[in-house]
C-alpha cells in the first residue's frame, strides 16, 4: 500500500502553487539575487566560458554534426523551415502519392546549393548533397545552377517522384541516426562503448510520446520493462551513478494523465510507476521520470513523491526526476524535493534542464486566455533561473545527486565555479549535440567531470515528435547550440552573464510577448480562461459549483422583454436521468407571432441606435458572461452533458464573439460604410454548442442593427434562456431580442415561412439548411442570407 500522507510541508507546496503563473518581474528579481556570484567568481566564470567556446570553434567541426547542421539550416532560414517540415511530415504521410506531392511542394523554391560548402562539417555537406539529390544522379546545367527549383523539376521528370521520395526518406533516416542512439538498447549500448571508455555515461529514452489509449500505455509500459531488463544486463551491477539509466514519461504509461483524472492517476498510474522503479532497483540502475508540460507538474509531484516515499524503495538511490528551469516554480520545486528527500532519508537523482516545450507553453496560455505564463518569456530569465537552481542543488548534495543538462558554455562554467573542488555531480547533454564542448569537460586533462548522454532509442517511425522538439529547441537563432558555430559572432557576446543582462533589462517580461489577455493588442481584450490544472483556480470553482449543485433554472418565451407563462415541462440531465435541471415553457404559435410583431417594432429603434452604443452593449455582454462563467459551466455540464473544460470553452468563445462583433460594428461605421440591418433575423442554433454558436449568431445580427428572434436547440434551452437574461442586462432593448424556445421543426417552419422575416442564420444539418434555403427561395426580391451549415 502507498502512504496516504507524504512527508511534505504544506507551506512549500503552497508556494509552488502560488508561483504557477506568478508575476515574472517579482520571480526574476528574487532569482537574480539568489544566483549572483561574487565579482571574483564572475570573472573566473567568464574566463572559463571564453576558453571553452574558443576551443570548440578551433576544434574539428565535423565532430559535432548536428550542431553544425542546426547552424547551417537554422529555423530563421527558408531552407531550415523546409528541412523541419520534411523531417516532420515524411515520417507520417499516409501514402506515396501524398509524399510525392509534399516533396514537389516544399523543394522547388529552396536554395539548397547556397548552403553547400558553407560548413566544414562533412555531415552537413553530405546532407546538403543528399537534399540537392546530386552526385551520380544529377548533372548541373547553367540554368539549374541559377534555378534549383528547375533542377528538381528536371530530376523528377527524368526519374519520377518515387526515386526522389526514396532518396529523401533515406536522407531523413541518416539525419535520424544523428539524433537517435539505436533501434534497441543492445544496439545503443554497443554504440556507446567507445564513449563510455572516455568517461561518458548514458541515459536511454525510449522514443514515443503520450499514450492515447490503454493499449498504447500497455505497449509503452512493456517497452520500458524490456528496456530496464536490457539496461540492467549491460550495467552489470555498477550502481545507479556509473551505470546507464533510463528515462520514463508518465504520460506514456497512462492514457488519462491529467489533473481532471486525479483519482484514476493516483490509483492506476502510481502503482505502474512503482513497479518500474522496483525493477530498476533490482538492477540498481538510474531511473529518471522525465519532465513534461507545465499543467502536469502539480500532479507529477504527487505521483513522483508518492512512489519515492514508498518504503519498498529503501536502500536504493537511483530514483530521480527532471526539473525544468524555465518554469517559474522550478526553485521551489527543488526546495520541496530536498525536504522530501530529507524526510524519507534517501537521496534523489535530480536532472536540471532548461526545458523543451517553451513554444507550446506560451501558445497554450495565449490560446486559453490564462492569467499569465508558467514559463519565463525571456531566455536570459531562464538562464538566471537555471543558475539559481544549480546553486541551490549544489548546496543540498545531502539530498540530491546533481545532474546538470546544458549545452551552454557559460552555464557549464558557472556550475563548475559553484561546485568548487567537489566533483560529485555530473553534466548531461543530448546525443549528437555538444560533443566538442563536453570533450573538454570529461577529459581527465580538462575538467574531469563525468557527462551523461541523454540518448533516444527507437525506430525511425517513432522519431517524429522527438526530432521536431529538438529542432525547435536548438534550431532557433537564439540557441547556444546554433550560435556556437557562428564564428562571426563575438565570443564575448555569446558568454554574456545572464544575471548582468537581466539586471540591466526591464524584468516585466519580453516586450514582444504580450500577456495572454493582451493577445489581440489594442483591438480587443482576449476572453479570460480558467486553468483547471491550477488548484488555486480549481478549488474555488469546485466550491462555487457545489453551492449551485441543487439549483434549477427556468426557460420560457421572452417577448418584448417579458417572460410568457405556460405549462412547463421538465428538463433532465442527459447524463443523470434522475436529476431535474429546470423547467421549460415552449413557445406557442401565438407566442411566435407576437415575437415577430415585437421584433419588427424593435428593429426600427435598434437599427437607428449608433454603432458605438450597440458595441458598448455587446462588450458589456461579454463582461457579464465572464462574471457568470461558474454558472454557465454548471449549466453546460448539467443540461448539455459537457465537461468543465467544455463549459469554459463555451463561455470564452461566446465572449470572443461579443467583442469581435462589437469591434466590427465600430470599424465598419468609421470606415464610412452604412451599417444598417435587414430587418428581423431568425437565429437557429444547435445543441452541441449551446452558448457559443447561439450567441455567435445573435451578436452578429445585433451588431449590424437587426432585431433578433432566437430559437435555441430544444435540448439546451436553459442555457439560452440564461444568456438571454444577460443580453437584456447588457443594454440590448427587449424589443430588439426575442427568445422562442421549443421544437425546431414547428417553430422553425413557422418563422422561416413568415414573409416578415428578413433572413435566417442557421447552424445544423445540411438537410435542414436545404429546407431553409428552399423556403427562402420562394420569396422573390428578398436577398438570401448566408446560411451556416
Amino acid at each position: 500500500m502507498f502512504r496516504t500522507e507524504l512527508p511534505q510541508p504544506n507551506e512549500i507546496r503552497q508556494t509552488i502553487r502560488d508561483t504557477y503563473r506568478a508575476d515574472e518581474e517579482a520571480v526574476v528579481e528574487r532569482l537574480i539575487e539568489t544566483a549572483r556570484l561574487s565579482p571574483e567568481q564572475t570573472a573566473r566564470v567568464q574566463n572559463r566560458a571564453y576558453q571553452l567556446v574558443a576551443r570548440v570553434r578551433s576544434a574539428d567541426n565535423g565532430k559535432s554534426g548536428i550542431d553544425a547542421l542546426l547552424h547551417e539550416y537554422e529555423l530563421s532560414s527558408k531552407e531550415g523551415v523546409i528541412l523541419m517540415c520534411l523531417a516532420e511530415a515524411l515520417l507520417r504521410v499516409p501514402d506515396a502519392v501524398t509524399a510525392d506531392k509534399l516533396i514537389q511542394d516544399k523543394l522547388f523554391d529552396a536554395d539548397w546549393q547556397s548552403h553547400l560548402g558553407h560548413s566544414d562539417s562533412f555531415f552537413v555537406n553530405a546532407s546538403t548533397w543528399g537534399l540537392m539529390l546530386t552526385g551520380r544522379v544529377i548533372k548541373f546545367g547553367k540554368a539549374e545552377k541559377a534555378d534549383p527549383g528547375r533542377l528538381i523539376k528536371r530530376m523528377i521528370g527524368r526519374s519520377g517522384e518515387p526515386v526522389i521520395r526514396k532518396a529523401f526518406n533515406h536522407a531523413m533516416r541518416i539525419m535520424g541516426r544523428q539524433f537517435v542512439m539505436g533501434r534497441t538498447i543492445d544496439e545503443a549500448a554497443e554504440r556507446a562503448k567507445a564513449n563510455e571508455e572516455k568517461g561518458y555515461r548514458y541515459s536511454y529514452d525510449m522514443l514515443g510520446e503520450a499514450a492515447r489509449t490503454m493499449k498504447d500505455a500497455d505497449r509503452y509500459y512493456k517497452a520500458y520493462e524490456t528496456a530496464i531488463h536490457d539496461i540492467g544486463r549491460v550495467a552489470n551491477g555498477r550502481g545507479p551513478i556509473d551505470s546507464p539509466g533510463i528515462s520514463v514519461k508518465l504520460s506514456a504509461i497512462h492514457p488519462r494523465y491529467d489533473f481532471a483524472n486525479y483519482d484514476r492517476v493516483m490509483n492506476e498510474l502510481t502503482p505502474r510507476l512503482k513497479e518500474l522503479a522496483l525493477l530498476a532497483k533490482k538492477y540498481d540502475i538510474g531511473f529518471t521520470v522525465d519532465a513534461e508540460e507545465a499543467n502536469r507538474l502539480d500532479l507529477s509531484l504527487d505521483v513522483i513523491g508518492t512512489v519515492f516515499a514508498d518504503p519498498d524503495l529503501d536502500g536504493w538511490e537511483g530514483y530521480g526526476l527532471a526539473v525544468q528551469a524555465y518554469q517559474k516554480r522550478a526553485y521551489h520545486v527543488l526546495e520541496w524535493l530536498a525536504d522530501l528527500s530529507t524526510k524519507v532519508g534517501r537521496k534523489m537523482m535530480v536532472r536540471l534542464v532548461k526545458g523543451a516545450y517553451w513554444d507550446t507553453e506560451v501558445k497554450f496560455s495565449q490560446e486559453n486566455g490564462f492569467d499569465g505564463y508558467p514559463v519565463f518569456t525571456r531566455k536570459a530569465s531562464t538562464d538566471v533561473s537555471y543558475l539559481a537552481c544549480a546553486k541551490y542543488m549544489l548546496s543540498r548534495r545531502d539530498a540530491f545527486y546533481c545532474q546538470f543538462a546544458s549545452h551552454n558554455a557559460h552555464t557549464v562554467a558557472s556550475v563548475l565555479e559553484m561546485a568548487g573542488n567537489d566533483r560529485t555531480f555530473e553534466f548531461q547533454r543530448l546525443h549528437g549535440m555538444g560533443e566538442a564542448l563536453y570533450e573538454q569537460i570529461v577529459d581527465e586533462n580538462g575538467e574531469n567531470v563525468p557527462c551523461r548522454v541523454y540518448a533516444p532509442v527507437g525506430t525511425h517511425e517513432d522519431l517524429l515528435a522527438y526530432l521536431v522538439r529538438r529542432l525547435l529547441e536548438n534550431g532557433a537563432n537564439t540557441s547556444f547550440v546554433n550560435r556556437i558555430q557562428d564564428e562571426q559572432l563575438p565570443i564575448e557576446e555569446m558568454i554574456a552573464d545572464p544575471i548582468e543582462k537581466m539586471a540591466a533589462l526591464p524584468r516585466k517580461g519580453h516586450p514582444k510577448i504580450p500577456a495572454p489577455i493582451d493577445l489581440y493588442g489594442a483591438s480587443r481584450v482576449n476572453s479570460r480562461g480558467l486553468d483547471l490544472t491550477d488548484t488555486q483556480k480549481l478549488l474555488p470553482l469546485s466550491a462555487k459549483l457545489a453551492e449551485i449543485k441543487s439549483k434549477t433554472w427556468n426557460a420560457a418565451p421572452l417577448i418584448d422583454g417579458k417572460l410568457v407563462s405556460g405549462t412547463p415541462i421538465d428538463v433532465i440531465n442527459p447524463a443523470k436521468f434522475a436529476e431535474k435541471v429546470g423547467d421549460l415553457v415552449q413557445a406557442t404559435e401565438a407566442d411566435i407571432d407576437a415575437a415577430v410583431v415585437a421584433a419588427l417594432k424593435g428593429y426600427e429603434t435598434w437599427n437607428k441606435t449608433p454603432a458605438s452604443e450597440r458595441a458598448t452593449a455587446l462588450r458589456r455582454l461579454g463582461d457579464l458572461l465572464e462574471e457568470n462563467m461558474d454558472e454557465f459551466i454548471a449549466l453546460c455540464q448539467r443540461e448539455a452533458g459537457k465537461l468543465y473544460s467544455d463549459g469554459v470553452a463555451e463561455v470564452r468563445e461566446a465572449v470572443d464573439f461579443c467583442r469581435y462583433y462589437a469591434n466590427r460594428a465600430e470599424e465598419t461605421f468609421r470606415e464610412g460604410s452604412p451599417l444598417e440591418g435587414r430587418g428581423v433575423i431568425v437565429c437557429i442554433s444547435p445543441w452541441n454548442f449551446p452558448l457559443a454558436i447561439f450567441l455567435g449568431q445573435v451578436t452578429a445580427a445585433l451588431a449590424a442593427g437587426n432585431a433578433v428572434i432566437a430559437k435555441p436547440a430544444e435540448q439546451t434551452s436553459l442555457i439560452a434562456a440564461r444568456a438571454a437574461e444577460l443580453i437584456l442586462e447588457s443594454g440590448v432593448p427587449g424589443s430588439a431580442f426575442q427568445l422562442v424556445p421549443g421544437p425546431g421543426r414547428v417553430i422553425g417552419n413557422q418563422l422561416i415561412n413568415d414573409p416578415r422575416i428578413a433572413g435566417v442564420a442557421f447552424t445544423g444539418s445540411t438537410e435542414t439548411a436545404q429546407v431553409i434555403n428552399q423556403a427562402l427561395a420562394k420569396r422573390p426580391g428578398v436577398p438570401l442570407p448566408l446560411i451556416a451549415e
Side-chain angles (χ1 to χ4, degrees):
M1 293 292 292
F2 295 106
R3 294 173 180 168
T4 56
E5 293 184 7
L6 292 177
Q8 58 187 28
N10 291 333
E11 60 270 20
I12 300 180
R13 193 60 177 273
Q14 187 59 47
T15 301
I16 293 173
R17 291 170 176 171
D18 291 342
T19 317
Y20 191 176
R21 299 180 187 276
D23 177 68
E24 187 163 341
E25 182 177 11
V27 176
V28 172
E29 191 71 43
R30 176 180 54 79
L31 290 173
I32 285 175
E33 295 309 310
T34 303
R36 196 183 295 279
L37 301 176
S38 70
E40 295 78 16
Q41 288 178 304
T42 300
R44 288 195 295 268
V45 168
Q46 293 298 112
N47 181 64
R48 181 178 255 148
Y50 187 98
Q51 295 302 322
L52 288 171
V53 174
R55 290 182 197 129
V56 169
R57 287 186 173 178
S58 64
D60 178 7
N61 287 334
K63 293 179 180 178
S64 297
I66 288 295
D67 298 14
L69 181 75
L70 291 173
H71 172 63
E72 182 62 35
Y73 292 109
E74 63 184 44
L75 295 185
S76 60
S77 73
K78 183 177 183 179
E79 290 74 28
V81 173
I82 291 174
L83 187 62
M84 190 181 76
C85 288
L86 283 170
E88 189 264 357
L90 283 176
L91 295 173
R92 60 180 174 85
V93 289
D95 54 74
V97 174
T98 305
D100 296 340
K101 290 181 178 179
L102 174 71
I103 289 169
Q104 290 187 57
D105 178 63
K106 294 297 180 186
L107 296 184
F108 286 171
D109 296 328
D111 187 10
W112 303 109
Q113 187 179 354
S114 67
H115 294 272
L116 189 62
H118 276 196
S119 175
D120 293 330
S121 168
F122 172 79
F123 170 65
V124 171
N125 286 315
S127 299
T128 303
W129 280 104
L131 290 165
M132 293 171 64
L133 301 176
T134 55
R136 297 180 182 178
V137 184
I138 296 179
K139 293 181 180 179
F140 286 110
K142 185 175 181 180
E144 284 82 2
K145 288 183 178 179
D147 183 2
R150 181 174 176 178
L151 170 67
I152 299 294
K153 291 176 184 177
R154 183 168 68 84
M155 181 57 206
I156 290 175
R158 285 178 51 189
S159 302
E161 287 88 344
V163 173
I164 308 299
R165 174 177 11 103
K166 187 173 182 179
F168 268 87
N169 275 312
H170 185 66
M172 291 302 113
R173 289 175 189 272
I174 292 173
M175 283 184 60
R177 180 172 170 79
Q178 298 296 316
F179 282 93
V180 179
M181 193 69 183
R183 291 168 294 180
T184 65
I185 294 294
D186 288 339
E187 185 177 299
E190 183 63 30
R191 191 177 173 190
K193 284 181 179 178
N195 269 344
E196 286 180 328
E197 291 176 1
K198 297 179 182 177
Y200 285 95
R201 301 162 179 169
Y202 280 82
S203 178
Y204 295 115
D205 169 38
M206 307 304 295
L207 283 174
E209 296 301 303
R212 299 300 180 190
T213 65
M214 188 55 76
K215 185 177 179 180
D216 288 339
D218 290 341
R219 176 165 52 86
Y220 285 134
Y221 182 87
K222 185 64 177 177
Y224 282 134
E225 268 190 334
T226 302
I228 292 172
H229 283 300
D230 291 343
I231 293 170
R233 285 193 294 270
V234 172
N236 196 27
R238 283 179 275 169
I241 292 177
D242 293 324
S243 295
I246 188 168
S247 294
V248 173
K249 295 181 182 68
L250 295 181
S251 59
I253 57 175
H254 198 281
R256 295 294 179 267
Y257 175 50
D258 55 60
F259 203 84
N261 292 284
Y262 184 88
D263 290 339
R264 278 195 65 186
V265 169
M266 296 304 296
N267 292 328
E268 298 172 14
L269 186 150
T270 308
R272 285 190 149 206
L273 182 65
K274 177 186 172 181
E275 290 305 312
L276 291 176
L278 285 173
L279 187 58
K281 177 189 175 184
K282 173 185 173 182
Y283 288 106
D284 201 21
I285 64 172
F287 179 86
T288 300
V289 181
D290 253 337
E292 302 194 52
E293 294 84 355
N295 60 11
R296 288 171 164 160
L297 177 64
D298 202 84
L299 177 60
S300 295
L301 294 181
D302 281 349
V303 174
I304 293 167
T306 299
V307 175
F308 179 76
D310 195 290
D312 289 348
L313 298 185
D314 287 348
W316 172 58
E317 294 188 340
Y319 186 92
L321 78 160
V323 175
Q324 299 163 317
Y326 69 11
Q327 287 204 42
K328 297 172 182 176
R329 298 172 284 181
Y331 191 90
H332 299 301
V333 168
L334 291 171
E335 290 180 318
W336 183 80
L337 293 173
D339 187 79
L340 175 63
S341 174
T342 301
K343 294 253 173 58
V344 172
R346 197 184 327 123
K347 271 191 179 184
M348 182 181 292
M349 303 180 91
V350 176
R351 172 194 296 157
L352 183 64
V353 302
K354 291 188 179 176
Y357 302 93
W358 185 87
D359 303 79
T360 300
E361 299 292 0
V362 170
K363 183 64 178 176
F364 186 71
S365 295
Q366 292 174 339
E367 177 189 348
N368 288 281
F370 293 147
D371 292 339
Y373 299 109
V375 296
F376 299 105
T377 56
R378 289 185 185 271
K379 183 180 181 299
S381 297
T382 295
D383 291 336
V384 169
S385 173
Y386 191 100
L387 296 178
C389 289
K391 192 175 183 180
Y392 179 76
M393 286 172 62
L394 289 167
S395 74
R396 293 302 312 269
R397 290 195 232 197
D398 59 310
F400 303 136
Y401 174 69
C402 303
Q403 302 168 310
F404 301 106
S406 177
H407 299 120
N408 186 302
H410 184 276
T411 301
V412 170
S414 297
V415 170
L416 289 169
E417 176 63 32
M418 289 186 286
N421 295 324
D422 185 347
R423 299 305 174 90
T424 56
F425 67 96
E426 69 181 32
F427 285 110
Q428 295 193 356
R429 67 170 176 84
L430 292 170
H431 165 65
M433 298 186 198
E435 295 174 21
L437 174 63
Y438 277 104
E439 281 183 358
Q440 304 172 59
I441 304 300
V442 175
D443 193 285
E444 61 183 12
N445 295 319
E447 300 293 346
N448 198 23
V449 178
C451 175
R452 191 177 302 272
V453 179
Y454 183 90
V457 175
T459 62
H460 174 69
E461 290 74 19
D462 291 326
L463 174 63
L464 170 62
Y466 179 83
L467 175 61
V468 173
R469 191 159 68 246
R470 292 287 83 87
L471 287 170
L472 285 171
E473 179 187 9
N474 297 288
N477 55 14
T478 56
S479 164
F480 194 91
V481 169
N482 188 325
R483 301 172 84 209
I484 200 169
Q485 295 289 332
D486 185 0
E487 297 191 4
Q488 302 302 313
L489 184 67
I491 294 178
E492 292 81 3
E493 184 177 334
M494 284 196 63
I495 62 170
D497 185 353
I499 297 173
E500 298 306 318
K501 185 184 296 185
M502 285 310 303
L505 286 172
R507 291 186 282 282
K508 294 184 178 181
H510 199 289
K512 294 185 179 180
I513 303 177
I517 200 71
D518 299 321
L519 180 62
Y520 302 112
S523 61
R524 65 183 168 98
V525 177
N526 191 11
S527 56
R528 190 175 296 279
L530 185 64
D531 187 356
L532 299 179
T533 69
D534 185 349
T535 55
Q536 306 289 78
K537 300 289 190 300
L538 187 60
L539 295 178
L541 172 65
S542 297
K544 290 178 181 177
L545 293 180
E547 289 177 8
I548 58 176
K549 185 176 182 180
S550 59
K551 179 178 179 178
T552 57
W553 289 266
N554 300 305
L558 183 63
I559 312 296
D560 204 12
K562 300 180 179 63
L563 289 173
V564 176
S565 60
T567 303
I569 60 176
D570 292 344
V571 177
I572 303 300
N573 185 333
K576 296 180 180 179
F577 292 157
E579 179 183 321
K580 179 180 175 179
V581 183
D583 296 305
L584 167 63
V585 175
Q586 296 183 332
T588 65
E589 185 175 335
D591 294 332
I592 297 168
D593 186 69
V596 175
V597 172
L600 287 169
K601 178 183 176 182
Y603 168 68
E604 297 300 324
T605 303
W606 183 246
N607 192 39
K608 295 176 182 177
T609 301
S612 59
E613 292 184 24
R614 292 183 221 155
T616 297
L618 293 183
R619 290 196 184 97
R620 174 62 179 149
L621 174 57
D623 294 342
L624 288 170
L625 289 167
E626 286 187 337
E627 291 170 14
N628 292 273
M629 179 180 282
D630 300 336
E631 183 180 6
F632 279 107
I633 290 173
L635 257 174
C636 286
Q637 181 196 36
R638 294 175 62 190
E639 186 183 26
K642 288 179 172 281
L643 302 174
Y644 286 178
S645 56
D646 296 328
V648 174
E650 283 280 341
V651 175
R652 292 196 65 235
E653 187 172 354
V655 171
D656 280 334
F657 276 131
C658 292
R659 293 170 181 167
Y660 173 79
Y661 286 121
N663 279 12
R664 292 299 296 130
E666 290 181 334
E667 289 167 4
T668 304
F669 179 77
R670 284 196 300 268
E671 291 167 0
S673 301
L675 189 62
E676 296 184 356
R678 291 180 175 178
V680 178
I681 302 295
V682 173
C683 295
I684 303 176
S685 54
W687 61 267
N688 55 332
F689 292 99
L691 181 65
I693 292 182
F694 173 78
L695 283 178
Q697 296 174 342
V698 169
T699 53
L702 289 174
N706 299 287
V708 170
I709 299 177
K711 208 302 288 184
E714 57 189 294
Q715 299 94 331
T716 52
S717 297
L718 298 179
I719 296 171
R722 182 68 183 105
E725 293 175 7
L726 298 187
I727 290 173
L728 299 189
E729 187 179 340
S730 72
V732 176
S735 60
F737 174 81
Q738 321 294 322
L739 181 72
V740 285
R745 291 188 179 276
V746 176
I747 297 176
N749 284 336
Q750 183 176 344
L751 287 170
I752 292 166
N753 290 289
D754 191 317
R756 295 170 293 179
I757 299 301
V760 179
F762 169 79
T763 301
S765 69
T766 302
E767 178 184 355
T768 306
Q770 290 173 345
V771 172
I772 293 173
N773 276 320
Q774 289 170 1
L776 294 176
K778 295 177 183 178
R779 298 164 57 190
V782 177
L784 296 182
L786 175 66
I787 304 297
E789 299 181 10

